[in-house]
Amino acid sequence: MTQPPPPPPNQPPNQPPQQGGFGPPQPAAPQPPQPQPGYGYPQAPQPPQAPQPGYGYPQAPQAPQAPQPPQPGYGYPGAPQNPYTQPQGYGYPGAPTVPMAPQPAQSGGGKNNSALVIIVAALVVIGLIVGGGVWYAKSSGGDGKKDDTASSSGGSGGKDGSGGTTSGGGKEKVPANTAAKVLFKVPMPRTNDSVVTAGSWLTDTVYAKSGIAEIVGYDPAKGSKLWTLKLPGPVCTASKHVTADGRTAIVFQPKMPAKGSTAGCSQVAAIDLAKGTKLWTKTVKTGDSLISLENVTVSQHTVAVGSTNGGAAFDIDSGKPLWQPKPTDSCYDNGYGGGPKLVAVRKCGSYGSGQLHIQTIDPTSGKVISDYQMATGIEYASVVSTDPLVVAADVGNSAGDGSGISDYFSIDNKTGKLLTRISAPGDTYGGRCDGITRVEDCREVVAGAGKLYVPTEQHDGTGQYSKTNEIVAFDLTTGKQTGQRAEAGDGYTISPLRMDGGNLLAYKQPPYNKGGQVVSIDGGSFKATKLLENPAAQDVRQAESTMAPDYAEIRYGQGRLFMSAAYAHKVSYGKEFLLLAFGAGG
């Protein structure tokens, strides 16, 4: 897990957050680390100084310098902050934070319960863009079950029915020509502020991407616009799951707020990606007040939203309420993990001494199927996958790197029994989760086919100044490493993307003089097969370098790679893109 610098010294709050408030304190904007020479690059060149960046823009492309995160803008739920600063105002859910510690909850009956920014610095070699990823859709379900909700980050993959694993069975085939070409690209939208553009989905017929207060559906091969869905305000967060019939969900603001402010993330809507239509829009209240929603997911035909005021759910087709928060409840669903199953992260008790429960629930009734109670003192947790059920937490704030992960918990969905606990020291393993405000926001970590796939931290390669890493696998029953390792190759760093049957798809971030790659790693032999390699042309490499896998949204399917930013910002220098699409056959 990449080591960011320590956050600024802030005093902890005098009192823990109260039930029904705006949630625990949000983490504060960290100072980005000093950039190092690029992968396999002996020395980053010093280009001429660019014009000074405008408002809301972290850093214009220039010589490698520590990028400065922009101030929050409309549609911006909150830049990474220190966990001890006071939370932002109403409707400010907290954007991709630097994930800190995990938080408590408590069991209960049914679900009627109560309650940066883009860090862009074109470092010529390594670009970094901050955003929250959303995900590959319909055709990514590994086990082929039509009723399951697909996603890029989990799914059961190749289960053999006994908890064991199978290899192969993936849908992604090696193209006749793995050399990719740029299929299309969309420039960064014009804005003088930082605006959330989280949300990207790939189905068999459409690639859809959030823009500024809109979602646009593109032909995956041609890039032509199939439809445009206008929204009254910016997207706040989006589900990473899509139903078998191409439906998903988003949370958005009811209007365009003033610069540097928010109108509250109070609106939840179901979206038909095939038609580009909004099926319905709902709000959730506590008393007469609208709840600011921090998490949205889709499981089967249920849309579930969570917040520090409690959780609610709706039928994705009709919008019929399935459950709502109750002011009298002492526990609340902070968020949900979706996909094949629906998992609630439920909290009870006061901050610092409460209890956190991981509950598999029926997506229609909210009935609790199983309940795992985490140790007291774990304040936050993130759902890596719902089937197999894997949760990440930073136990005792021991990760030490802002990743939100010190341990993974493999849990039996049916019984709620802990199968194993996997230690993942921050100085050894990569990946990151934001369990503070977004329960289902883990990157570069994938669970499936009975295994947990985690990248190692970067280390020196064989070439001068080069860096590299590996992906390793852990058994989800024993917690032990399987002995399988997939090497990135000198100058490359490799990140898990999603399961493809019993295989793992991964993205290889390239050295300074090559294009990135997508590979398929066989679940049995762990042999990596190249599916796609992006062009090595300088302008393409520079654009790709701004789509770092730990922040950008990366989707792959049917021989095509889509990389997009989850924040729009003012472009003061050079060309920047909202999305890049690559396809085989170049």
Side-chain angles (χ1 to χ4, degrees):
M1 304 164 200
T2 305
Q3 292 277 349
N10 288 302
Q11 296 299 320
N14 294 326
Q15 295 181 346
Q18 300 299 314
Q19 173 67 25
F22 296 105
Q26 301 296 322
Q31 293 299 316
Q34 294 295 325
Q36 301 298 320
Y39 312 139
Y41 188 66
Q43 185 64 42
Q46 301 290 325
Q49 292 296 319
Q52 292 300 313
Y55 178 85
Y57 184 64
Q59 189 73 15
Q62 53 185 304
Q65 297 174 1
Q68 298 298 319
Q71 297 301 314
Y74 59 79
Y76 183 71
Q81 300 172 359
N82 185 283
Y84 297 120
T85 56
Q86 294 299 320
Q88 301 295 333
Y90 178 82
Y92 215 76
T97 55
V98 176
M100 303 298 289
Q103 204 177 339
Q106 170 173 310
S107 62
K111 292 298 99 189
N112 291 326
N113 41 60
S114 90
L116 27 198
V117 217
I118 310 169
I119 297 182
V120 176
L123 306 179
V124 180
V125 185
I126 305 175
L128 186 66
I129 196 164
V130 173
V134 200
W135 338 84
Y136 180 69
K138 187 174 177 181
S139 63
S140 66
D143 55 15
K145 294 181 180 178
K146 190 171 183 179
D147 292 336
D148 282 355
T149 310
S151 78
S152 68
S153 62
S156 54
K159 293 196 297 185
D160 62 8
S162 63
T165 63
T166 60
S167 63
K171 297 179 180 179
E172 304 298 343
K173 307 303 179 185
V174 180
N177 185 356
T178 60
K181 62 181 179 181
V182 177
L183 297 177
F184 62 96
K185 51 192 176 184
V186 176
M188 188 68 69
R190 297 186 64 176
T191 176
N192 290 322
D193 209 346
S194 298
V195 187
V196 173
T197 57
S200 61
W201 306 267
L202 179 60
T203 74
D204 293 335
T205 59
V206 65
Y207 171 75
K209 171 61 189 169
S210 294
I212 297 179
E214 68 177 11
I215 301 174
V216 179
Y218 300 91
D219 181 292
K222 302 175 183 178
S224 54
K225 289 185 179 181
L226 301 178
W227 49 260
T228 299
L229 174 61
K230 294 293 185 180
L231 300 170
V235 172
C236 297
T237 186
S239 174
K240 67 178 184 177
H241 303 288
V242 179
T243 64
D245 54 355
R247 297 182 174 190
T248 190
I250 61 170
V251 168
F252 62 96
Q253 297 187 44
K255 63 181 180 179
M256 294 298 294
K259 184 176 180 179
S261 66
T262 175
C265 298
S266 59
Q267 314 291 303
V268 58
I271 307 297
D272 187 324
L273 295 173
K275 299 178 180 179
T277 57
K278 188 165 52 177
L279 300 174
W280 48 260
T281 300
K282 301 289 182 180
T283 59
V284 183
K285 292 185 176 182
T286 174
D288 294 329
S289 300
L290 291 176
I291 291 177
S292 185
L293 305 169
E294 300 170 352
N295 163 260
V296 61
T297 197
V298 172
S299 178
Q300 299 178 32
H301 277 258
T302 294
V303 175
V305 289
S307 74
T308 53
N309 286 35
F314 305 89
D315 179 84
I316 198 168
D317 298 317
S318 66
K320 174 186 174 183
L322 301 177
W323 62 81
Q324 298 278 318
K326 283 186 176 180
T328 56
D329 284 351
S330 60
C331 307
Y332 63 96
D333 289 355
N334 188 55
Y336 302 91
K341 298 183 184 297
L342 185 61
V343 172
V345 176
R346 187 163 173 80
K347 298 182 180 182
C348 286
S350 60
Y351 182 77
S353 61
Q355 197 73 54
L356 186 68
H357 287 242
I358 309 301
Q359 299 179 334
T360 298
I361 60 178
D362 183 279
T364 302
S365 67
K367 179 182 178 181
V368 176
I369 298 171
S370 67
D371 186 314
Y372 171 68
Q373 181 174 312
M374 302 193 80
T376 302
I378 298 179
E379 302 289 348
Y380 305 94
S382 298
V383 178
V384 175
S385 168
T386 62
D387 186 20
L389 178 52
V390 179
V391 171
D394 186 356
V395 180
N397 298 323
S398 59
D401 62 352
S403 66
I405 307 169
S406 68
D407 296 84
Y408 296 97
F409 298 79
S410 175
I411 303 166
D412 185 273
N413 276 106
K414 295 180 180 179
T415 65
K417 177 183 177 181
L418 179 68
L419 299 176
T420 190
R421 175 173 168 175
I422 300 170
S423 176
D427 58 355
T428 303
Y429 299 105
R432 62 189 303 116
C433 294
D434 176 18
I436 296 177
T437 58
R438 291 179 179 162
V439 163
E440 195 179 32
D441 187 14
C442 291
R443 314 164 185 283
E444 302 181 273
V445 180
V446 170
K451 299 172 186 176
L452 177 69
Y453 299 94
V454 182
T456 66
E457 279 288 4
Q458 295 180 27
H459 56 81
D460 290 339
T462 58
Q464 190 177 23
Y465 305 113
S466 72
K467 296 290 183 179
T468 190
N469 77 327
E470 299 81 29
I471 291 176
V472 297
F474 293 88
D475 187 288
L476 287 176
T477 301
T478 67
K480 297 180 179 179
Q481 283 198 34
T482 64
Q484 299 166 309
R485 296 173 69 88
E487 296 183 356
D490 200 43
Y492 290 89
T493 53
I494 190 169
S495 303
L497 289 180
R498 66 173 177 87
M499 295 301 297
D500 176 34
N503 299 335
L504 174 70
L505 298 185
Y507 171 73
K508 292 173 62 175
Q509 194 171 7
Y512 78 99
N513 58 348
K514 295 183 180 180
Q517 298 180 6
V518 176
V519 297
S520 176
I521 300 172
D522 186 272
S525 68
F526 239 54
K527 178 184 177 182
T529 301
K530 183 168 65 177
L531 300 178
L532 201 70
E533 182 169 12
N534 291 340
Q538 183 179 3
D539 59 336
V540 178
R541 295 198 319 265
Q542 289 179 344
E544 183 180 0
S545 71
T546 66
M547 303 291 184
D550 49 349
Y551 293 110
E553 301 173 358
I554 301 180
R555 314 285 165 258
Y556 179 84
Q558 300 180 0
R560 304 184 189 104
L561 174 67
F562 301 86
M563 310 178 79
S564 65
Y567 288 86
H569 59 276
K570 182 177 181 180
V571 177
S572 299
Y573 178 75
K575 292 183 178 179
E576 295 186 44
F577 298 94
L578 177 68
L579 73 90
L580 303 169
F582 301 92

